[in-house]
Amino acid sequence: MKDYIEIINKDNSKTKMEVVSIFKLDDYSSDYIIYKELDNSHYYIAKYKGNNIVNLDTNLSVKEIELAKLLLNEIIHN
């Protein structure tokens, strides 16, 4: 079963995205999400706090991006 989220773009339009993975990184307090365009053209990584996936923050540190990319590569290639 696939899960989806809606992203509100800068122009306030909504875009449906597919959730690829939700995860935690050791030593970080946020939760993380990898999501993608429905046509698989782009993948995105963001962090959020709390039980609800709202207020996604795409301003990640270099280390957060590196760790998330490792996970994403594992998911894509398996």
Side-chain angles (χ1 to χ4, degrees):
M1 184 166 107
K2 295 181 181 181
D3 291 318
Y4 299 94
I5 57 173
E6 279 191 339
I7 301 297
I8 299 174
N9 300 312
K10 291 178 185 177
D11 63 358
N12 285 328
S13 64
K14 293 180 182 178
T15 302
K16 185 177 181 179
M17 301 276 190
E18 182 181 335
V19 175
V20 175
S21 181
I22 295 172
F23 59 97
K24 287 189 157 297
L25 293 174
D26 291 340
D27 301 325
Y28 291 89
S29 61
S30 295
D31 292 303
Y32 294 83
I33 183 171
I34 298 173
Y35 55 100
K36 66 180 180 174
E37 302 273 350
L38 298 181
D39 66 359
N40 299 326
S41 62
H42 293 91
Y43 286 78
Y44 305 93
I45 302 166
K47 60 185 172 182
Y48 63 95
K49 293 198 182 249
N51 293 329
N52 296 321
I53 303 172
V54 294
N55 299 324
L56 296 180
D57 181 0
T58 57
N59 187 22
L60 306 175
S61 70
V62 171
K63 187 66 174 174
E64 288 172 307
I65 292 170
E66 288 173 359
L67 293 169
K69 280 185 176 180
L70 288 173
L71 177 64
L72 178 58
N73 284 333
E74 286 293 319
I75 291 169
I76 290 174
H77 294 104
N78 286 327

